[in-house]
Amino acid sequence: MGVEKNEFKFSKKPEVVYVDTDILLIGGGMACCGAAYEAAKWATPKGLKITMVDKAAADRSGAVAMGLSAINTYCGENDPADYVKYVRTDLMGIIREDLVYDLGRHVDNSVHLFEEWGLPVWKRDEDGSTMDGSKPAPKLAEGGKPVRSGRWQIMINGESYKVIVAEAAKKALEYNRKETGVEQNLFERVFISELIHDKNDPSKVAGAIGFSVREHKAYVFTAKTMLLACGGAVNVYRPRSTAEGQGRAWYPIWNAGTTYALAAQAGCELVLMENRFVPARFKDGYGPVGAWFLFFKCKATNSLGEDYCATNLAAANKDFGKYAEDPHKLTTAMRNHMMMIDMKAGKGPILMRTHEAMAALAETMTPKQIKHLEAEAWEDFLDMCIGQAVVWAGNNIEPEKTPSELMPTEPYLLGSHAGCAGIWVSGPGDIAGIPAEWSWGYNRMTTVDGLFTAGDGVGASGHKFSSGSHAEGRIAGKNMTAYCLDHADYKPELGRDVDEVIAEIYAPMETFAKNKDYSTDPLVNPNYIRPKMFQARLQKIMDEYVAGVATWYTTSKTMLEKGLEHLSLLKEDAEKMAAEDLHELMRAWENYHRLMAGEAHARHILFREDSRYPGYYFRADHFYVDDENWKCFTISKYDRDSKEWTLSKRDYVQVIPD
C-alpha cells in the first residue's frame, strides 16, 4: 500500500515463520487443488517439495465451495475444436485459441478423476431415462452416458464437490510431505499479500510473504516457482444486495482480486481486463439459471410474456451488427443487452417461467416422477446456492406454480466462467498457426519468470468453469515441475528486506493502535479509514463511473477519467487503512487488491474504444463493436516503482476456422 514506516511502537510485532519449498501453490480452489494433485505425481519422485497456502480452508475454498449441480465443461464425444468455436462465439470473437483448445483436450480426464474420487454423476439408462448419482451405473471412463443439460454440461449431485476434490489434493500433498520429510506443506488461514522478486535476478519471483488470519504470525515462503490462483474479483462493484444482505453475491465474496493485483505488482502482462461477467440470475438470491434453461427447458420473458431476445433482435442488430444477427447464436452478453432494453422500456420484471417448464415436463410423467422433478428443482439450489432456496421459501414461491424474477447482477472480474479477464500466459506450443512468441517454454507461465497461473488467473480463455480450472491447474503443476528440474541449481533469494515487508503488511494494525483513542468511536476517526468504509468508497466509484448497475453498465471516456481521479485519491487514502484485528487486516489487504483490480479494469475499458461486450458494459461514446480496429487483445503492464500503467494492442490470431 505504500504506507508510512511501521516500527511496531503501538502494536505487537508478529512471530515470523520461514518456509523453504520448491513449488508454491497460492490458493485453495479448483486450480490449486488440481496443481497439487498433478505436481505430486511428477515432483515427489524427484525429491521436489510442494507447498500449498490458502487464506481459507481447502475443503470449502474457492468458487465451488457451496457445491454445484452441474459440471459445465465436459467435452465427451465433442471435438475440442468445436469447444474453441463455442468459447470464441460467446466471448465476442477474441480468445487465445491455443489455450482453449489445450484445455478442451485435457478437461475430461479431470472429470473422470472426480467420479473416481466419489462425485455422483447423473447417467442415462439404456431406455433414455435419467438416473441421478445415487443409482449404480457405468462410470464415464467406462462408457457411461452422462445426462447432459447442454452440449458441454453434465448433471451431478455436487453439494460436496469441492470437499471431494480437496481431499484428493490433500492426500497428494501428504504423500509429498512424507516423501520429502518436511514438517508441514499445507498452510490454511494464511493470506499472501506480497510476491517478492529474486535478489540476483529481478525477472524471477523468489518468494511470497503473508500472515495468518488466526494467529499473530507472519509467513515467509521461498520457492523456485509459484502458482498464483486466488480466483477472480468480487465486491469491486457495489452489489445489488445492500446492508445486511451485502454478503449475498453470485461469485464468491472472498475472491478479492488478489490474483490480478499481485500479478500486476509483480510486473505480469494482463490481458482483456476490460472484460467482466454480468450474469442474469434469480433476483436477490443470485441463484444460477443454467440448469433451468438447459435441463428443465425453461423460458425467460418480459412481464408481458414476450421473448425479449426475439422482439429486440432487430434493435440490437442495428447497433451491434453480426453479433445480434442469428437468434440461435446470441452471446450471453447480448442476451443481457436485450433483457435490459425491455427493462428500460418498463416491460419488467423479467420472469423465469418455471411453472410452465415444469408443467410441460410433467405432461409425460407419473405423479411419482413429478414429485421427483419438484425435488430436483429445489435440489438445484440446495446443491449450490442455498440462499436462493431461502428466498423462494421466504417469498412463498413454489417454482411449479409461480414464475421467478431474473435480474442482471453487479459486475464480476473473472477468467474461468463466461468471462476472460486475466493474465497473459505462455501456451502449449504445439498448436499449428499460433505465433511462436506465445509460448516461451512452460505452459501457463506468466511473463514473469517462474510465476504461473490457472483458473480465473489465465486471461483470454474463458468457459473453463470448475472442471477446466482443475485441469488447468494440473497443466500448470506439471509444467512447474519441469521448470524446477530445468533450474535445479537455482537458489531463490528474496530481493526485499523481510522485516520491511512485514512491517508494511502489519501497518494497518499499527495505524489503528496508534490513533484509536483520538475519537470516542473507533469506527470514525480523522487519522484512518476502516476497510469497510474503504470498500464502500471503492464500490461507489466503480458503480457510478466504471459502468456499474447505477448507470445500467454504461460509461464513457469522460466518466472513466473522472472515476480514475477518484481511484487515485482512494489509493492515497489506502495508506491510512486501519485494522483492529487479524480479520480486519485481511479485509484491508483484500480491499487494496480490489482497488488494483478495479483500476486495471477501468483503464482497459478506457483504452478499448468500442463496446466489445454489450450487455456486460457499454461505452456510450462508442456504442458499437469495432472489429476493424479493435478485434485484438488489449495488454496492460503496471510499473510498481513509477505507479504507471502502459496499455497496448496485440493482434488476435484465429486458427480454428468458423
Side-chain angles (χ1 to χ4, degrees):
M1 284 187 242
V3 294
E4 62 184 52
K5 187 174 178 61
N6 171 19
E7 297 179 344
F8 292 102
K9 290 182 178 179
F10 300 90
S11 61
K12 183 181 177 182
K13 191 173 183 179
E15 175 188 344
V16 181
V17 179
Y18 290 87
V19 179
D20 180 58
T21 189
D22 296 303
I23 296 172
L24 180 63
L25 310 176
I26 304 173
M30 293 295 283
C32 274
C33 283
Y37 172 80
E38 191 69 20
K41 285 196 304 184
W42 303 97
T44 307
K46 301 294 184 180
L48 297 175
K49 295 172 290 186
I50 306 167
T51 301
M52 187 161 85
V53 54
D54 182 22
K55 74 175 179 184
D59 282 358
R60 294 288 183 179
S61 183
V64 186
M66 280 199 296
L68 290 177
S69 60
I71 288 175
N72 281 354
T73 306
Y74 180 71
C75 288
E77 68 279 9
N78 294 297
D79 187 336
D82 290 332
Y83 173 61
V84 173
K85 295 176 187 177
Y86 148 67
V87 177
R88 182 175 65 206
T89 297
D90 199 59
L91 292 174
M92 301 297 289
I94 306 174
I95 60 169
R96 279 281 300 274
E97 297 191 10
D98 57 331
L99 301 177
V100 177
Y101 187 90
D102 190 36
L103 199 289
R105 64 186 175 182
H106 288 110
V107 65
D108 286 7
N109 187 256
S110 274
V111 180
H112 295 164
L113 286 173
F114 301 157
E115 189 173 25
E116 179 185 319
W117 297 335
L119 180 68
V121 178
W122 292 20
K123 302 294 190 332
R124 288 283 181 205
D125 207 346
E126 291 180 0
D127 62 2
S129 61
T130 297
M131 297 186 293
D132 66 25
S134 66
K135 298 176 181 177
K139 289 181 166 52
L140 294 171
E142 299 167 347
K145 302 297 181 185
V147 174
R148 284 200 178 273
S149 53
R151 182 175 181 182
W152 309 99
Q153 300 83 8
I154 63 174
M155 299 296 292
I156 61 173
N157 293 101
E159 188 281 331
S160 296
Y161 183 8
K162 182 62 202 315
V163 178
I164 291 168
V165 173
E167 181 183 27
K170 289 192 291 186
K171 283 184 176 180
L173 288 168
E174 179 62 10
Y175 160 59
N176 178 264
R177 187 194 69 78
K178 288 181 177 179
E179 292 297 314
T180 56
V182 300
E183 183 178 343
Q184 182 180 354
N185 66 354
L186 173 59
F187 295 85
E188 296 180 320
R189 309 294 182 187
V190 174
F191 180 40
I192 297 297
S193 56
E194 286 284 342
L195 301 184
I196 310 298
H197 288 275
D198 190 86
K199 179 179 180 180
N200 304 306
D201 185 354
S203 69
K204 290 180 184 285
V205 284
I209 301 180
F211 58 94
S212 169
V213 300
R214 293 289 187 271
E215 303 175 285
H216 201 57
K217 294 180 179 180
Y219 284 82
V220 180
F221 297 91
T222 53
K224 290 183 177 180
T225 181
M226 286 180 267
L227 178 69
L228 178 62
C230 308
V234 181
N235 273 343
V236 174
Y237 281 83
R238 184 161 49 194
R240 289 192 182 276
S241 298
T242 57
E244 72 276 6
Q246 188 164 346
R248 179 64 261 176
W250 168 75
Y251 217 49
I253 55 171
W254 50 83
N255 276 202
T258 299
T259 304
Y260 310 132
L262 293 186
Q265 290 176 327
C268 295
E269 289 185 346
L270 307 183
V271 60
L272 294 178
M273 283 298 292
E274 68 272 24
N275 180 265
R276 82 264 289 261
F277 186 38
V278 178
R281 293 295 183 261
F282 284 100
K283 187 175 181 294
D284 298 328
Y286 292 73
V289 297
W292 280 98
F293 277 132
L294 298 171
F295 184 70
F296 293 104
K297 309 304 178 187
C298 193
K299 290 182 171 58
T301 71
N302 63 25
S303 61
L304 306 179
E306 299 168 335
D307 180 350
Y308 51 83
C309 286
T311 57
N312 294 321
L313 185 64
N317 177 255
K318 181 180 178 182
D319 290 322
F320 300 109
K322 68 178 183 179
Y323 294 101
E325 195 168 65
D326 186 341
H328 303 293
K329 294 183 179 180
L330 295 176
T331 68
T332 309
M334 194 60 68
R335 291 195 297 271
N336 272 15
H337 172 49
M338 294 177 174
M339 175 192 298
M340 287 186 275
I341 291 175
D342 273 9
M343 294 175 75
K344 292 176 185 177
K347 296 181 180 180
I350 303 300
L351 298 175
M352 192 71 145
R353 298 191 171 272
T354 57
H355 58 307
E356 294 175 1
M358 296 186 75
L361 290 169
E363 289 176 359
T364 58
M365 293 181 173
T366 66
K368 183 178 180 181
Q369 289 172 323
I370 292 172
K371 200 68 179 173
H372 185 66
L373 177 69
E374 292 174 1
E376 285 177 349
W378 283 92
E379 186 179 339
D380 180 44
F381 292 132
L382 294 173
D383 269 353
M384 59 192 297
C385 185
I386 296 170
Q388 184 60 48
V390 174
V391 169
W392 269 356
N395 287 283
N396 296 328
I397 293 173
E398 298 177 69
E400 70 275 15
K401 298 178 182 179
T402 312
S404 292
E405 292 182 55
L406 292 187
M407 178 68 78
T409 70
E410 66 276 7
Y412 306 105
L413 310 183
L414 49 84
S416 67
H417 202 278
C420 55
I423 305 165
W424 185 263
V425 299
S426 175
D430 64 345
I431 309 297
I434 291 294
E437 61 269 22
W438 289 12
S439 177
W440 47 92
Y442 301 96
N443 203 350
R444 268 54 174 196
M445 188 168 80
T446 71
T447 52
V448 172
D449 197 8
L451 181 61
F452 291 72
T453 191
D456 280 320
V458 174
S461 170
H463 287 272
K464 294 181 277 262
F465 302 104
S466 60
S467 55
S469 294
H470 187 272
E472 194 160 55
R474 292 176 64 197
I475 292 169
K478 186 174 182 179
N479 279 270
M480 293 169 77
T481 303
Y483 182 93
C484 285
L485 295 175
D486 291 345
H487 298 80
D489 295 332
Y490 169 53
K491 303 295 183 186
E493 189 174 349
L494 300 182
R496 288 188 64 189
D497 181 78
V498 169
D499 288 339
E500 178 184 293
V501 176
I502 291 174
E504 182 177 314
I505 289 172
Y506 283 85
M509 296 189 79
E510 178 78 356
T511 297
F512 178 82
K514 178 182 178 180
N515 297 292
K516 63 182 175 61
D517 295 329
Y518 188 86
S519 59
T520 55
D521 184 349
L523 294 177
V524 182
N525 192 302
N527 297 305
Y528 59 65
I529 180 170
R530 302 292 284 267
K532 185 175 181 179
M533 300 174 191
F534 185 92
Q535 186 180 73
R537 281 180 58 189
L538 171 64
Q539 291 177 345
K540 178 177 171 63
I541 294 165
M542 297 297 294
D543 188 36
E544 295 178 352
Y545 295 97
V546 195
V549 299
T551 61
W552 285 100
Y553 313 100
T554 303
T555 188
S556 64
K557 180 177 185 291
T558 51
M559 289 288 283
L560 289 162
E561 288 174 341
K562 179 56 70 172
L564 286 166
E565 285 183 29
H566 287 300
L567 288 176
S568 178
L569 293 174
L570 185 60
K571 191 178 287 187
E572 290 180 15
D573 287 348
E575 298 181 6
K576 298 295 184 181
M577 253 201 288
E580 185 173 2
D581 53 32
L582 292 171
H583 182 77
E584 200 169 29
L585 181 64
M586 178 181 71
R587 291 286 182 244
W589 282 104
E590 283 180 333
N591 285 333
Y592 187 73
H593 293 166
R594 287 187 175 100
L595 171 61
M596 289 292 300
E599 182 182 4
H601 185 53
R603 291 188 182 280
H604 271 252
I605 295 177
L606 178 61
F607 179 71
R608 176 180 284 280
E609 295 183 340
D610 74 346
S611 296
R612 173 53 59 175
Y613 305 101
Y616 293 168
Y617 78 82
F618 305 93
R619 280 283 300 262
D621 49 350
H622 296 286
F623 200 78
Y624 46 76
V625 174
D626 182 0
D627 277 352
E628 183 177 349
N629 297 297
W630 287 99
K631 190 173 184 180
C632 62
F633 299 110
T634 53
I635 304 293
S636 67
K637 190 171 182 181
Y638 178 70
D639 186 310
R640 192 167 184 174
D641 293 330
S642 67
K643 297 181 173 54
E644 295 293 326
W645 293 81
T646 303
L647 286 98
S648 61
K649 293 182 179 182
R650 186 164 294 162
D651 289 343
Y652 166 71
V653 176
Q654 179 175 341
V655 295
I656 304 295
D658 293 328

